[in-house]
């Protein structure tokens, strides 16, 4: 009896040593393929959130704003996965799942790079007043940080306005300092009509300056946080300077105000024919607010600067987020030049574009 038991015990022991590793390998294989599916899903969502209609959803909206970081993130995962695949292969195993992750990440990184490259990853050449031709309109938008703006920021904005020959100046968060900006411009021989708007909070007031040379303008109802003007005689383009509320960085926060005010900006593209819309839009071209723009085109992308980050200015442009924009009605204007320029004393870069009537 005892002798009969011993072989069965060895047989049971033998089964335990062969089936347990097999079970672990099966579980590892399943988990590996789950990881591949998760990475592939994340890649698709990051590449085409607007097409899927999810660009204003919690979490996805925040991720969409970081396309440059998604590019580098997927590229980094691809590099690590490829190295891991080489290591697994060197041990005589087939790195199928690891290779799949690497391929997905390479494709995702490449897709993000293609989109950013199409918009333009360059800051552009300086837009100079001396190059302006008859009929040209130069537009500058610069978020100046409201009550936190110091003399350095004010002087820098004035310098950029004069050097570029700007005819339209949008100053999100500019209401607290617009008086000083105008005073310095006037002292240097420039004449602008001033349209400040008073928003909620010390930094929400947006200011719009329109050169006297464009003719007389009057203010009309505009979006929350912005100002909209129309020509008195009807000849010049309607203009809006906008600054909808910012996208909350916490993906669990309510997005109601951001969605609502962004939709008001989007409505301008449908109702303001032949115009110019500039400002800190707190949205990228991947968010719904700036995807459906009718006949309006992003002037920055038209001249190859649309993928260069404007915020925060503390980061290199190739790592920043582009949320400061100038959009023009492509049926009325052609974009000739543009640049993203540093403005000391603020946390945004300014955008300058030059357009001409078609």
């Amino acid at each position: 009896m005892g002798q009969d038991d011993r072989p069965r015990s060895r047989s049971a022991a033998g089964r335990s040593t062969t089936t347990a590793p097999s079970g672990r390998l099966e579980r590892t294989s399943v988990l590996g393929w789950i990881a591949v599916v998760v990475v592939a899903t994340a890649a698709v969502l990051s590449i085409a959130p607007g097409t899927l209609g999810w660009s204003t959803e919690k979490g996805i909206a925040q991720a969409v704003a970081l396309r440059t970081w998604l590019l580098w993130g997927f590229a980094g995962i691809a590099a690590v996965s490829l190295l891991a695949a080489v290591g697994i292969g060197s041990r005589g195993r087939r790195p199928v799942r690891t290779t799949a992750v690497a391929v997905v990440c390479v494709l995702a990184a490449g897709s993000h790079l293609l989109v950013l490259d199409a918009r333009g990853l360059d800051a552009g050449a300086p837009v100079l007043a001396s190059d302006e031709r008859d009929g040209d309109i130069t537009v500058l938008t610069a978020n100046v940080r409201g009550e936190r703006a110091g003399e350095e920021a004010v002087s820098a904005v004035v310098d950029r306005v004069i050097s570029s020959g700007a005819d339209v100046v949008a100053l999100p968060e500019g209401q607290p300092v617009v008086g000083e900006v105008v005073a310095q411009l006037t002292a240097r021989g420039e004449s602008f009509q001033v349209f400040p708007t008073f928003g909620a909070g010390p930094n929400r007031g947006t200011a719009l300056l329109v050169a006297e040379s464009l003719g007389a303008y009057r203010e009309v109802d505009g979006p929350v946080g912005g100002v909209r003007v129309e020509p008195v005689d009807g000849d010049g383009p309607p203009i809006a300077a906008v600054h909808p509320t910012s996208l909350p960085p916490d993906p669990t926060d309510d997005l109601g105000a951001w969605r609502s005010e962004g939709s008001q900006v989007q409505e301008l593209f449908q109702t303001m024919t032949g115009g110019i819309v500039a400002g800190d839009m707190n949205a990228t071209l991947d968010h719904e607010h700036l995807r459906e723009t009718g006949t309006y085109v992003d002037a920055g992308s038209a001249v190859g600067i649309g993928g260069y980050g404007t915020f925060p200015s503390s980061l290199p442009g190739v790592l920043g987020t582009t949320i400061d924009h100038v959009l023009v009605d492509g049926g009325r204007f052609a974009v000739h030049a543009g640049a993203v320029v540093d403005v000391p004393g603020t946390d945004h870069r300014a955008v300058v574009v030059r357009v001409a009537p078609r």
Side-chain angles (χ1 to χ4, degrees):
M1 190 79 175
Q3 291 177 348
D4 291 341
D5 287 343
R6 281 193 295 274
R8 285 197 294 270
S9 298
R10 283 194 297 270
S11 177
R15 285 197 299 272
S16 67
T17 58
T18 57
T19 59
S22 177
R24 285 197 295 272
L25 287 173
E26 184 176 345
R27 287 194 298 273
T28 301
S29 177
V30 170
L31 291 174
W33 284 116
I34 289 175
V36 173
V37 172
V38 169
V39 172
T41 302
V44 171
L45 289 177
S46 73
I47 294 167
T51 303
L52 297 171
W54 295 346
S55 65
T56 58
E57 298 300 320
K58 289 183 178 180
I60 296 177
Q62 285 83 356
V64 165
L66 302 173
R67 188 182 279 274
T68 52
W69 286 97
L70 291 171
L71 161 60
W72 295 113
F74 279 115
I77 296 173
V80 171
S81 298
L82 286 172
L83 290 174
V86 171
I88 293 172
S90 67
R91 295 195 294 271
R93 295 164 55 191
R94 296 177 61 190
V96 178
R97 293 173 297 278
T98 307
T99 301
V101 169
V103 170
V104 167
C105 289
V106 166
L107 292 174
S111 298
H112 286 299
L113 179 59
L114 287 174
V115 170
L116 290 169
D117 185 62
R119 294 172 184 171
L121 287 168
D122 188 73
V127 178
L128 303 176
S130 58
D131 296 332
E132 194 169 45
R133 301 171 299 182
D134 288 343
D136 285 354
I137 298 177
T138 302
V139 185
L140 181 149
T141 179
N143 184 315
V144 292
R145 302 188 75 186
E147 292 184 344
R148 290 174 292 176
E151 180 60 31
E152 181 184 31
V154 171
S155 297
V157 167
V158 171
D159 288 341
R160 304 300 183 271
V161 170
I162 293 175
S163 65
S164 66
D167 306 290
V168 175
V169 183
L171 298 176
E173 300 188 22
Q175 189 276 324
V177 296
V178 66
E180 181 59 27
V181 170
V182 172
Q184 291 193 24
L185 287 171
T186 301
R188 297 174 68 169
E190 304 292 330
S191 299
F192 283 90
Q193 302 161 82
V194 186
F195 301 96
T197 186
F198 296 86
N203 297 326
R204 289 298 307 281
T206 300
L208 173 64
L209 309 182
V210 181
E212 297 282 358
S213 59
L214 293 183
Y217 275 77
R218 65 172 178 269
E219 187 172 354
V220 296
D221 288 342
V224 172
V227 56
R228 176 180 176 180
V229 300
E230 294 180 348
V232 173
D233 60 11
D235 289 338
I239 304 168
V242 300
H243 186 211
T245 192
S246 61
L247 175 66
D250 186 340
T252 64
D253 283 351
D254 180 62
L255 303 183
W258 176 72
R259 290 174 181 152
S260 175
E261 295 184 23
S263 295
Q264 292 178 41
V265 173
Q266 190 174 30
E267 288 175 8
L268 292 174
F269 307 131
Q270 312 302 325
T271 61
M272 204 174 79
T273 304
I276 297 170
V277 182
D280 173 4
M281 301 187 187
N282 278 312
T284 71
L285 298 178
D286 299 303
H287 289 116
E288 183 65 25
H289 312 147
L290 298 181
R291 283 180 55 82
E292 302 296 331
T293 59
T295 58
Y296 278 74
V297 297
D298 178 61
S301 295
V303 290
I305 61 170
Y308 196 82
T310 63
F311 177 84
S313 57
S314 57
L315 289 178
V318 293
L319 294 179
T321 301
T322 308
I323 58 176
D324 300 87
H325 306 274
V326 177
L327 283 89
V328 299
D329 191 327
R332 179 169 184 172
F333 295 106
V335 187
H336 286 171
V340 179
V341 298
D342 290 324
V343 180
T346 74
D347 54 354
H348 287 248
R349 293 184 178 92
V351 177
V352 186
V353 300
R354 178 164 291 149
V355 302
R358 290 189 180 277

